């Protein structure tokens, strides 16, 4: 018997406590993993600091007047981004209205037993593929398909209802309407995916209870499912809005890059992101500083919107996990 | 006198409710109309995708799958009224920069995910790091370009390095969040079994957590690569563009997405046709990674 235990302790056995080498590897590896996670914090801080540092001369020179100014004149060193802020918010709100409506409708369509799950998978794949198409390809599609398609309708609306602020100009080419439409297509997968998640979190018995009270399918959806999923849907809309605010290439190709504030759907406009995209490559030093300031403004707007969205999403997850 | 005459049959006092479905009742009509609208919305939402795919194949397909396939894939972009030409430098440039971004971001991302998912998931540092990764996901992609411009381009000029690093910033957040998700799905019992056998945490991670979470991690990585390949905003003023094949990593580099952007605004039909061809190549590349991700990520349990 004694020999058996002795064998287990001997050096030829495979079992045994971790060696000094194992311990060293372990702490080294854990150190590297810790450092990698730390790197994310450093990176975020570094991004903010660099943009702040580069924008600092422009912040000193223009102050808050930068946000309320409406001219962008390099020769006079006059910079203001109010038209871009307006364009960013206006295009994103239009896109949110369209993309949000369709996104929620699709989430209902996919989760409320309208179609069997194989067809639902097909539709889900189509929506996910929509999210995979690069922004610049949507831009190209917008230029050669959407704008020519919208032109006759825009002309008619302008000639018949020109007195109405939304139709007060003609669609000469790029403009707000095609930009907002493409933006809506691009945020639709985001809104749909997060809303689907919100509907999936509702316990099945909630729907059964509604049906048990004799509701029609749509009464159950409108009066029970939608209110229950409302915070998740709100998160979907806010995060979709955040995505729309920062979208760059498709807008730079479709919005027309005109420095003006207009309510018209058919007039060219500009957004902060497409201002950066279109002016950065050829900008001189003074203009780069102003652009860094513009980038900072965009960063602040998207940061607020995204943190709000994440907070609502967290709240939803906790709400349903608490109930289980 | 009571309202109820007890001599009458009960049906007359309180008529039997109509329990069969009434198709033209307001409630039923509302349900039918809304169902129709939802179908319409779902079908309408699918239209842009099919329109994009149709145009890519119709406009770009003839050039790509035609007789001048080799010229398109390997040729230099045409200038002005020049006919023919190709998108060779852009294809190579995109692959090189996505390669640089992958080499930088995938190891760091997975290591960070290991820390967040296994080593210390609830520490203050993990929570901060996770939150910031999510915040980074919300940052506009052009911010990566602005950041790299401020850090690298101002001092060393436009280069493939700068483009690759800008893409790495964007990939990092996706890799971290996807890999953490995959890693945290590894059942606690499997880890406990390994700890019970006397494994160090590193051994548990390498021998249990990573092999088990591998499909999920690979899915996340491939989706991040697909996303980076399609990005254009961060390359615009980091890699710029070039008409020639890349010879050094420290010079301006072409990419498919910037080629599409540049050519889409040109008045020459040849360039616009090439923009469609480049779009088709780009979408095929992105979809290839996407489908691969889906195949690997399918649950096998």
């Amino acid at each position: 018997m004694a020999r058996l235990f002795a064998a287990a302790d001997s050096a030829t056995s495979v079992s045994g406590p971790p060696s000094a080498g194992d311990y060293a590897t372990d702490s080294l590896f854990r150190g590297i993993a810790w450092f990698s996670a730390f790197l994310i914090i450093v990176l975020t801080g570094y991004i903010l600091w660099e943009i702040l540092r580069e924008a600092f001369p422009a912040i000193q020179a223009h102050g808050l007047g930068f946000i309320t100014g409406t001219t962008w004149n390099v020769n006079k060193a006059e910079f203001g981004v109010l038209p871009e802020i307006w364009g960013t918010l206006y295009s994103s709100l239009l896109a949110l209205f369209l993309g949000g409506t369709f996104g929620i409708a699709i989430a209902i369509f996919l989760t409320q037993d309208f179609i069997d799950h194989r067809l639902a998978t097909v539709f889900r794949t189509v929506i996910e593929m929509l999210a995979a198409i690069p922004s610049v390809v949507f831009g190209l599609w917008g230029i050669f398909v959407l704008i020519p398609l919208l032109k006759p309708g825009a002309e008619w609306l302008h000639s018949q209802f020109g007195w109405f602020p939304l139709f007060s100009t003609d669609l000469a080419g790029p403009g707000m309407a095609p930009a907002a439409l493409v933006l809506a297509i691009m945020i639709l997968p985001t809104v749909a995916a997060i809303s689907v998640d919100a509907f999936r979190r509702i316990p099945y018995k909630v729907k059964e209870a509604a049906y048990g009270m004799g509701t029609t399918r749509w009464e159950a959806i409108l009066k029970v499912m939608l209110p229950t999923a409302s915070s998740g849907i709100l998160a979907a809309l806010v995060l979709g809005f955040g995505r729309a605010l920062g979208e760059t290439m498709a807008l730079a190709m479709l919005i027309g890059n005109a420095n003006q504030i207009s309510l018209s759907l058919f007039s060219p406009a500009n957004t902060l992101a497409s201002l950066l995209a279109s002016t950065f490559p050829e900008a001189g030093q003074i203009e780069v500083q102003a652009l860094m300031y513009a980038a900072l403004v965009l960063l602040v707007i998207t940061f607020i919107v995204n943190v709000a969205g994440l907070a609502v999403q967290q709240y939803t997850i906790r709400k349903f996990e608490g109930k289980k | 006198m009571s309202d109820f005459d007890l001599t009458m049959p009960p049906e007359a006092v309180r008529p039997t409710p109509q329990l069969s479905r009434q198709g033209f009742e307001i409630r039923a009509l509302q349900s039918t109309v809304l169902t129709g609208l939802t179908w319409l919305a779902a079908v309408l939402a699918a239209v842009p995708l099919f329109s994009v795919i149709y145009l890519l194949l119709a406009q770009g397909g003839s050039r790509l799958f035609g007789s001048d396939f080799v010229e398109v894939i390997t040729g230099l972009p045409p200038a002005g009224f020049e006919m023919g030409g190709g998108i060779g430098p852009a294809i190579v440039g995109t692959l090189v920069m996505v390669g640089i971004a992958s080499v930088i971001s995938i190891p760091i991302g997975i290591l960070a995910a290991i820390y967040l998912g296994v080593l210390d998931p609830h520490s203050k540092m993990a929570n901060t790091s996770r939150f910031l990764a999510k915040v980074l996901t919300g940052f506009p992609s052009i911010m990566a370009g602005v950041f790299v411009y401020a850090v690298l381009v101002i001092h060393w000029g436009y280069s493939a390095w700068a483009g690759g690093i800008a893409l790495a910033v964007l990939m990092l957040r996706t890799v971290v969040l996807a890999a953490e998700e995959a890693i945290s799905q590894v059942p606690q019992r499997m880890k406990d079994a390994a700890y019970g056998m006397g494994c160090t945490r590193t051994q548990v991670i390498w021998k249990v957590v990573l092999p088990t979470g591998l499909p999920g991690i690979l899915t996340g990585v491939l989706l991040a690569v697909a996303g980076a390949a399609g990005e254009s905003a961060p390359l615009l003023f980091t890699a710029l563009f070039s008409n020639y094949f890349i010879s050094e990593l420290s010079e301006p580099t072409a990419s498919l997405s910037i080629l599409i952007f540049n050519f889409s605004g040109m008045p020459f039909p040849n360039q616009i046709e090439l923009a469609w061809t480049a779009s088709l190549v780009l979408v095929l590349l992105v979809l290839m990674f996407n489908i691969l991700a889906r195949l690997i990520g399918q649950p096998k349990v």
Side-chain angles (χ1 to χ4, degrees):
Chain A
M1 280 305 278
R3 272 185 63 96
L4 260 178
F5 288 112
D9 282 334
S10 77
T12 52
S13 167
V14 288
S15 67
S19 66
D22 286 340
Y23 279 121
T25 321
D26 184 45
S27 34
L28 180 72
F29 179 73
R30 278 195 285 159
I32 296 173
W34 179 89
F35 182 72
S36 300
F38 186 59
L39 220 57
I40 297 174
I41 302 177
V42 173
L43 178 69
T44 318
Y46 194 32
I47 291 176
L48 288 179
W49 190 74
E50 268 303 325
I51 294 177
L52 251 174
R53 197 177 63 112
E54 293 294 326
F56 192 68
I59 297 175
Q60 265 187 326
H62 309 294
L64 285 177
F66 187 74
I67 292 165
T68 52
T70 54
T71 51
W72 189 275
N73 189 328
V74 185
N75 297 326
K76 290 191 197 154
E78 265 180 53
F79 300 106
V81 288
L82 191 63
E84 282 75 24
I85 295 177
W86 162 257
T88 306
L89 294 177
Y90 191 41
S91 61
S92 301
L93 278 175
L94 287 172
L96 184 65
F97 177 70
L98 259 177
T101 315
F102 275 85
I104 296 170
I106 284 166
I108 291 174
F109 184 69
L110 290 178
T111 54
Q112 304 303 311
D113 316 319
F114 281 98
I115 45 178
D116 72 66
H117 75 275
R118 245 176 295 163
L119 196 56
T121 315
V122 172
F123 265 103
R124 198 169 302 126
T125 314
V126 166
I127 301 297
E128 278 169 11
M129 276 171 77
L130 209 55
I133 304 267
S135 172
V136 72
V137 175
F138 273 123
L140 191 69
W141 178 77
I143 292 177
F144 292 104
V145 179
L146 201 55
I147 291 180
L149 199 71
L150 287 177
K151 248 183 183 165
E155 246 162 50
W156 185 80
L157 279 172
H158 174 59
S159 62
Q160 300 294 314
F161 302 100
W163 48 268
F164 194 62
L166 288 183
F167 310 130
S168 58
T169 56
D170 202 0
L171 186 69
M176 184 57 85
L181 261 173
V182 165
L183 209 48
I185 297 170
M186 297 182 73
I187 66 166
L188 188 143
T190 313
V191 177
I194 305 176
S195 305
V196 163
D197 195 46
F199 278 114
R200 288 251 169 83
R201 281 181 189 282
I202 302 177
Y204 196 71
K205 59 185 175 189
V206 172
K207 199 197 292 181
E208 280 175 338
Y211 284 151
M213 299 195 49
T215 61
T216 63
R217 175 190 294 204
W218 274 95
E219 280 166 346
I221 292 172
L222 293 176
K223 293 180 183 162
V224 178
M225 302 304 279
L226 265 180
T228 318
S230 59
S231 61
I233 291 173
L234 183 66
L237 292 176
V238 176
L239 291 175
F241 187 60
R243 240 211 98 185
L245 291 173
E247 187 44 58
T248 312
M249 289 313 267
L251 285 183
M253 293 163 89
L254 291 172
I255 204 161
N257 299 325
N259 201 39
Q260 58 179 17
I261 300 177
S262 163
L263 260 180
S264 170
L265 291 178
F266 307 133
S267 73
N270 208 351
T271 70
L272 285 166
S274 65
L275 173 79
L276 291 173
S278 54
T279 25
F280 226 116
E282 284 115 34
Q285 201 201 354
I286 303 286
E287 201 179 7
V288 163
Q289 290 166 355
L291 286 169
M292 288 288 176
Y293 194 179
L296 195 66
V297 174
L298 177 60
L299 205 59
V300 170
I301 297 176
T302 48
F303 179 80
I304 294 171
V305 171
N306 278 300
V307 170
L310 287 176
V312 180
Q313 200 177 25
Q314 277 304 312
Y315 165 77
T316 319
I317 292 172
R318 277 206 205 114
K319 191 173 88 177
F320 284 106
E321 278 174 359
K323 267 185 190 168
K324 261 175 201 171
Chain B
M1 275 290 283
S2 142
D3 283 343
F4 299 106
D5 184 351
L6 293 177
T7 57
M8 284 171 77
E11 294 87 14
V13 180
R14 198 181 53 186
T16 0
Q18 174 55 262
L19 287 178
S20 64
R21 194 165 182 271
Q22 298 289 295
F24 292 100
E25 200 189 339
I26 296 284
R27 296 168 62 208
L29 267 181
Q30 179 204 32
S31 217
T32 316
V33 169
L34 284 174
T35 303
L37 284 178
T38 317
W39 267 97
L40 191 70
V43 172
L44 271 181
V47 168
L49 179 73
F50 289 111
S51 171
V52 167
I53 289 176
Y54 170 75
L55 273 139
L56 285 176
L57 291 175
Q59 304 274 348
S62 58
R63 191 77 173 257
L64 185 63
F65 303 126
S67 52
D68 37 1
F69 173 77
V70 178
E71 194 194 349
V72 168
I73 290 294
T74 59
L76 298 179
F81 287 101
E82 207 182 315
M83 290 313 287
I87 53 174
I91 296 178
V92 176
T94 292
L95 292 178
V96 166
M97 285 189 283
V98 171
I100 294 175
S102 306
V103 168
I104 298 172
S105 66
I106 294 172
I108 299 179
I110 294 179
L111 283 167
I114 287 172
Y115 182 82
L116 297 183
V118 189
L119 287 177
D120 210 353
H122 303 297
S123 65
K124 198 167 250 178
M125 169 131 130
N127 284 334
T128 317
S129 193
R130 194 178 296 122
F131 175 73
L132 288 179
K134 280 183 188 165
V135 169
L136 277 180
T137 310
F139 273 13
S141 62
I142 196 165
M143 282 305 157
V146 173
F147 165 66
V148 171
Y149 183 91
V151 177
L152 296 174
V153 177
I154 286 183
H155 309 293
W156 293 290
Y158 304 107
S159 65
W161 280 118
I165 291 171
L167 292 181
V169 171
L170 293 174
M171 277 179 72
L172 184 62
R173 57 198 194 179
T174 325
V175 175
V176 171
L177 293 176
E180 195 214 337
E181 175 81 21
I183 284 173
S184 61
Q185 306 264 315
V186 176
Q188 185 62 39
R189 272 186 282 175
M190 289 176 74
K191 286 183 269 180
D192 287 344
Y195 284 127
M197 291 172 69
C199 286
T200 62
R201 285 201 258 182
T202 305
Q203 286 166 336
V204 173
I205 288 162
W206 280 100
K207 305 213 162 125
V208 177
V209 175
L210 284 180
T212 317
L214 194 65
I217 297 175
L218 272 179
T219 302
V221 165
L222 287 171
L223 286 178
V225 171
E231 276 296 349
S232 34
L235 297 178
L236 206 51
F237 38 85
T238 53
L240 213 66
F241 192 69
S242 157
N243 278 322
Y244 304 99
F245 277 98
I246 181 171
S247 57
E248 270 181 76
L249 291 179
S250 56
E251 46 183 41
T253 307
S255 56
L256 282 170
S257 45
I258 303 300
L259 180 134
I260 298 167
F261 178 63
N262 288 346
F263 279 13
S264 71
M266 287 189 180
F268 314 113
N270 184 32
Q271 267 79 344
I272 287 169
E273 212 180 278
L274 272 179
W276 282 108
T277 313
S279 300
L280 180 61
V281 174
L282 186 60
V283 168
L284 286 178
L285 197 70
V286 170
L287 285 187
M288 190 181 77
F289 279 112
N290 254 291
I291 291 167
L292 218 59
R294 238 164 260 267
L295 290 180
I296 292 173
Q298 255 163 16
K300 293 190 185 93
V301 185

